[in-house]
Amino acid sequence: MIKGFKEFLMRGNVVELAVAVVMGAAMTALVASFGEAFLNPLITLVTGGGEVGGSFTVNGVEFPYGNFINGILVFFLTSAAVYFVIVLPMNKLRDKFMSSDEEAEVVREEQVVLLEEIRDLLREQRRV
């Protein structure tokens, strides 16, 4: 049981996913603080400045649309940062260090698993 768990952890996908989650969370915090420090004041300034900028009031209820615009910008900046800081370098490293033989073996293993699943589904259908 321990051996199987160790193989699961060392398979690569779990470790890469854990690193991506941690880096994504750190990147989100960084971009969110950038949005709060620079984007919100800029949106407020562009849309009227002062207390009125970035929001409007209807029947005494305030609608802070500046926060929504800030959220959209933070989302796109976070996505771009994660792609250019994590995904793109990892793809380049994988391409650099993985030989074509290893890559072909990975593709072959994926195909074998898929074919086995298809075979099992066909067997199951015949029984019904």
Side-chain angles (χ1 to χ4, degrees):
M1 187 167 138
I2 299 288
K3 181 182 176 189
F5 182 68
K6 181 180 174 186
E7 288 175 3
F8 170 73
L9 288 179
M10 300 314 267
R11 193 176 291 164
N13 294 340
V14 174
V15 175
E16 290 173 4
L17 181 60
V19 169
V21 167
V22 170
M23 292 297 294
M27 193 67 64
T28 300
L30 177 67
V31 175
S33 66
F34 172 78
E36 201 59 40
F38 295 104
L39 294 179
N40 260 353
L42 184 62
I43 292 168
T44 301
L45 184 64
V46 168
T47 59
E51 292 181 22
V52 183
S55 67
F56 62 89
T57 305
V58 175
N59 292 335
V61 178
E62 182 181 359
F63 292 88
Y65 66 86
N67 291 342
F68 179 69
I69 294 170
N70 181 37
I72 290 171
L73 293 173
V74 165
F75 171 77
F76 284 114
L77 289 173
T78 302
S79 299
V82 167
Y83 177 77
F84 288 111
V85 173
I86 298 172
V87 175
L88 196 61
M90 286 299 291
N91 288 343
K92 287 185 180 183
L93 281 173
R94 185 189 64 221
D95 291 344
K96 182 178 181 180
F97 290 113
M98 185 179 273
S99 70
S100 59
D101 292 338
E102 291 173 334
E103 191 172 323
E105 183 64 28
V106 168
V107 170
R108 184 179 176 284
E109 288 176 11
E110 291 173 357
Q111 290 174 346
V112 167
V113 169
L114 183 60
L115 289 171
E116 288 174 350
E117 290 174 1
I118 292 170
R119 178 199 63 204
D120 294 341
L121 286 171
L122 289 172
R123 282 183 184 165
E124 191 174 306
Q125 285 179 350
R126 283 189 211 148
R127 290 181 194 156
V128 175

